[in-house]
Tab-separated table of all heavy atoms in Angstrom:
chain	number	residue	atom	x	y	z
A	1	LEU	N	0.837	-1.216	0.000
A	1	LEU	CA	0.000	0.000	0.000
A	1	LEU	C	0.864	1.255	0.000
A	1	LEU	O	0.609	2.209	-0.745
A	1	LEU	CB	-0.911	0.012	1.232
A	1	LEU	CG	-2.158	-0.868	1.205
A	1	LEU	CD1	-2.783	-0.941	2.590
A	1	LEU	CD2	-3.170	-0.325	0.207
A	2	ASN	N	1.895	1.267	0.852
A	2	ASN	CA	2.782	2.430	0.956
A	2	ASN	C	3.515	2.663	-0.355
A	2	ASN	O	3.559	3.789	-0.873
A	2	ASN	CB	3.789	2.205	2.083
A	2	ASN	CG	4.760	3.368	2.228
A	2	ASN	OD1	4.530	4.298	2.983
A	2	ASN	ND2	5.866	3.330	1.495
A	3	HIS	N	4.105	1.601	-0.902
A	3	HIS	CA	4.915	1.768	-2.107
A	3	HIS	C	4.057	2.127	-3.319
A	3	HIS	O	4.524	2.839	-4.222
A	3	HIS	CB	5.729	0.500	-2.381
A	3	HIS	CG	6.894	0.317	-1.438
A	3	HIS	ND1	7.200	1.221	-0.452
A	3	HIS	CD2	7.843	-0.666	-1.336
A	3	HIS	CE1	8.271	0.805	0.214
A	3	HIS	NE2	8.671	-0.335	-0.300
A	4	LEU	N	2.812	1.648	-3.356
A	4	LEU	CA	1.928	2.046	-4.459
A	4	LEU	C	1.560	3.524	-4.360
A	4	LEU	O	1.530	4.238	-5.371
A	4	LEU	CB	0.662	1.185	-4.468
A	4	LEU	CG	0.823	-0.272	-4.905
A	4	LEU	CD1	-0.495	-1.021	-4.798
A	4	LEU	CD2	1.365	-0.381	-6.329
A	5	MET	N	1.282	3.977	-3.147
A	5	MET	CA	1.013	5.412	-2.951
A	5	MET	C	2.245	6.228	-3.337
A	5	MET	O	2.146	7.257	-4.017
A	5	MET	CB	0.625	5.679	-1.502
A	5	MET	CG	0.533	7.151	-1.136
A	5	MET	SD	-0.759	8.026	-2.007
A	5	MET	CE	-2.127	7.767	-0.897
A	6	TRP	N	3.433	5.761	-2.902
A	6	TRP	CA	4.671	6.475	-3.222
A	6	TRP	C	4.881	6.530	-4.734
A	6	TRP	O	5.180	7.594	-5.291
A	6	TRP	CB	5.862	5.773	-2.556
A	6	TRP	CG	7.164	6.259	-3.115
A	6	TRP	CD1	7.818	7.405	-2.774
A	6	TRP	CD2	7.934	5.648	-4.162
A	6	TRP	NE1	8.961	7.546	-3.545
A	6	TRP	CE2	9.045	6.487	-4.396
A	6	TRP	CE3	7.796	4.481	-4.915
A	6	TRP	CZ2	10.011	6.185	-5.352
A	6	TRP	CZ3	8.748	4.181	-5.870
A	6	TRP	CH2	9.837	5.031	-6.079
A	7	LEU	N	4.727	5.382	-5.399
A	7	LEU	CA	4.994	5.320	-6.840
A	7	LEU	C	4.020	6.209	-7.612
A	7	LEU	O	4.420	6.947	-8.520
A	7	LEU	CB	4.893	3.863	-7.316
A	7	LEU	CG	5.304	3.568	-8.754
A	7	LEU	CD1	6.744	3.997	-9.011
A	7	LEU	CD2	5.131	2.082	-9.061
A	8	GLY	N	2.749	6.163	-7.224
A	8	GLY	CA	1.760	7.003	-7.901
A	8	GLY	C	2.017	8.480	-7.685
A	8	GLY	O	1.986	9.283	-8.633
A	9	ALA	N	2.301	8.868	-6.429
A	9	ALA	CA	2.516	10.289	-6.109
A	9	ALA	C	3.845	10.787	-6.683
A	9	ALA	O	3.928	11.908	-7.203
A	9	ALA	CB	2.488	10.488	-4.594
A	10	HIS	N	4.901	9.966	-6.599
A	10	HIS	CA	6.213	10.342	-7.133
A	10	HIS	C	6.123	10.515	-8.645
A	10	HIS	O	6.672	11.472	-9.215
A	10	HIS	CB	7.221	9.252	-6.766
A	10	HIS	CG	8.644	9.590	-7.071
A	10	HIS	ND1	9.146	10.878	-7.000
A	10	HIS	CD2	9.697	8.804	-7.447
A	10	HIS	CE1	10.441	10.859	-7.310
A	10	HIS	NE2	10.786	9.616	-7.598
A	11	GLY	N	5.417	9.595	-9.294
A	11	GLY	CA	5.222	9.722	-10.735
A	11	GLY	C	4.472	10.997	-11.083
A	11	GLY	O	4.848	11.737	-11.994
A	12	LEU	N	3.410	11.284	-10.327
A	12	LEU	CA	2.609	12.489	-10.546
A	12	LEU	C	3.477	13.745	-10.393
A	12	LEU	O	3.361	14.701	-11.167
A	12	LEU	CB	1.476	12.513	-9.525
A	12	LEU	CG	0.212	13.304	-9.828
A	12	LEU	CD1	-0.468	12.793	-11.092
A	12	LEU	CD2	-0.751	13.210	-8.650
A	13	ASP	N	4.377	13.723	-9.384
A	13	ASP	CA	5.239	14.877	-9.107
A	13	ASP	C	6.173	15.201	-10.265
A	13	ASP	O	6.436	16.369	-10.556
A	13	ASP	CB	6.092	14.625	-7.857
A	13	ASP	CG	5.297	14.695	-6.571
A	13	ASP	OD1	4.177	15.230	-6.612
A	13	ASP	OD2	5.800	14.225	-5.542
A	14	ILE	N	6.714	14.162	-10.902
A	14	ILE	CA	7.753	14.441	-11.909
A	14	ILE	C	7.328	14.070	-13.326
A	14	ILE	O	8.154	13.833	-14.193
A	14	ILE	CB	9.106	13.788	-11.536
A	14	ILE	CG1	9.010	12.284	-11.380
A	14	ILE	CG2	9.661	14.403	-10.276
A	14	ILE	CD1	10.361	11.613	-11.097
A	15	GLY	N	5.990	14.040	-13.526
A	15	GLY	CA	5.495	14.017	-14.894
A	15	GLY	C	4.919	12.725	-15.412
A	15	GLY	O	4.423	12.690	-16.539
A	16	ALA	N	4.985	11.634	-14.643
A	16	ALA	CA	4.415	10.364	-15.107
A	16	ALA	C	2.981	10.260	-14.586
A	16	ALA	O	2.689	9.540	-13.635
A	16	ALA	CB	5.265	9.193	-14.624
A	17	MET	N	2.086	10.980	-15.207
A	17	MET	CA	0.735	11.174	-14.687
A	17	MET	C	-0.054	9.877	-14.559
A	17	MET	O	-0.810	9.680	-13.614
A	17	MET	CB	-0.039	12.136	-15.596
A	17	MET	CG	0.655	13.449	-15.845
A	17	MET	SD	0.619	14.528	-14.420
A	17	MET	CE	-1.071	15.039	-14.414
A	18	THR	N	0.103	8.967	-15.517
A	18	THR	CA	-0.730	7.762	-15.558
A	18	THR	C	-0.484	6.832	-14.374
A	18	THR	O	-1.365	6.070	-13.992
A	18	THR	CB	-0.444	6.980	-16.860
A	18	THR	OG1	-0.306	7.903	-17.926
A	18	THR	CG2	-1.554	6.004	-17.174
A	19	MET	N	0.717	6.898	-13.798
A	19	MET	CA	1.072	5.965	-12.721
A	19	MET	C	0.084	6.026	-11.565
A	19	MET	O	-0.223	5.011	-10.937
A	19	MET	CB	2.480	6.276	-12.182
A	19	MET	CG	3.598	5.825	-13.063
A	19	MET	SD	3.417	4.121	-13.603
A	19	MET	CE	3.298	3.271	-12.056
A	20	PHE	N	-0.407	7.201	-11.261
A	20	PHE	CA	-1.316	7.375	-10.127
A	20	PHE	C	-2.565	6.509	-10.313
A	20	PHE	O	-3.025	5.853	-9.380
A	20	PHE	CB	-1.698	8.854	-10.012
A	20	PHE	CG	-2.254	9.238	-8.674
A	20	PHE	CD1	-1.416	9.382	-7.581
A	20	PHE	CD2	-3.609	9.448	-8.500
A	20	PHE	CE1	-1.915	9.746	-6.333
A	20	PHE	CE2	-4.125	9.809	-7.259
A	20	PHE	CZ	-3.268	9.955	-6.175
A	21	LEU	N	-3.087	6.478	-11.519
A	21	LEU	CA	-4.297	5.700	-11.806
A	21	LEU	C	-4.014	4.200	-11.715
A	21	LEU	O	-4.812	3.441	-11.165
A	21	LEU	CB	-4.831	6.050	-13.196
A	21	LEU	CG	-5.137	7.535	-13.432
A	21	LEU	CD1	-5.529	7.775	-14.880
A	21	LEU	CD2	-6.251	8.006	-12.509
A	22	TYR	N	-2.873	3.772	-12.246
A	22	TYR	CA	-2.515	2.358	-12.189
A	22	TYR	C	-2.347	1.894	-10.742
A	22	TYR	O	-2.847	0.845	-10.351
A	22	TYR	CB	-1.192	2.119	-12.948
A	22	TYR	CG	-1.355	1.905	-14.425
A	22	TYR	CD1	-1.616	2.961	-15.289
A	22	TYR	CD2	-1.230	0.639	-14.978
A	22	TYR	CE1	-1.755	2.774	-16.651
A	22	TYR	CE2	-1.360	0.426	-16.340
A	22	TYR	CZ	-1.631	1.497	-17.167
A	22	TYR	OH	-1.780	1.294	-18.520
A	23	CYS	N	-1.625	2.677	-9.949
A	23	CYS	CA	-1.318	2.270	-8.562
A	23	CYS	C	-2.576	2.224	-7.702
A	23	CYS	O	-2.731	1.322	-6.871
A	23	CYS	CB	-0.296	3.219	-7.949
A	23	CYS	SG	1.338	3.080	-8.686
A	24	PHE	N	-3.474	3.165	-7.909
A	24	PHE	CA	-4.684	3.181	-7.085
A	24	PHE	C	-5.646	2.057	-7.456
A	24	PHE	O	-6.478	1.655	-6.647
A	24	PHE	CB	-5.361	4.551	-7.156
A	24	PHE	CG	-4.926	5.441	-6.034
A	24	PHE	CD1	-3.636	5.951	-6.004
A	24	PHE	CD2	-5.774	5.737	-4.985
A	24	PHE	CE1	-3.201	6.751	-4.957
A	24	PHE	CE2	-5.356	6.527	-3.935
A	24	PHE	CZ	-4.068	7.037	-3.913
A	25	ARG	N	-5.513	1.530	-8.641
A	25	ARG	CA	-6.323	0.369	-9.037
A	25	ARG	C	-6.056	-0.810	-8.096
A	25	ARG	O	-6.989	-1.444	-7.596
A	25	ARG	CB	-5.955	0.003	-10.484
A	25	ARG	CG	-6.660	-1.189	-11.059
A	25	ARG	CD	-6.071	-1.518	-12.422
A	25	ARG	NE	-4.649	-1.854	-12.331
A	25	ARG	CZ	-3.863	-2.063	-13.392
A	25	ARG	NH1	-4.348	-1.931	-14.606
A	25	ARG	NH2	-2.588	-2.378	-13.227
């Protein structure tokens, strides 16, 4: 749960917008 939140938010921060949607799935 932690690493998915991190990956989605980190991606969102530096331009990988889609990651947030994948991780929250």
Side-chain angles (χ1 to χ4, degrees):
L1 282 169
N2 179 92
H3 286 359
L4 288 177
M5 171 64 89
W6 166 81
L7 187 58
H10 188 33
L12 204 60
D13 287 344
I14 58 176
M17 306 287 287
T18 319
M19 284 311 303
F20 198 75
L21 303 175
Y22 275 76
C23 291
F24 266 70
R25 179 187 61 186

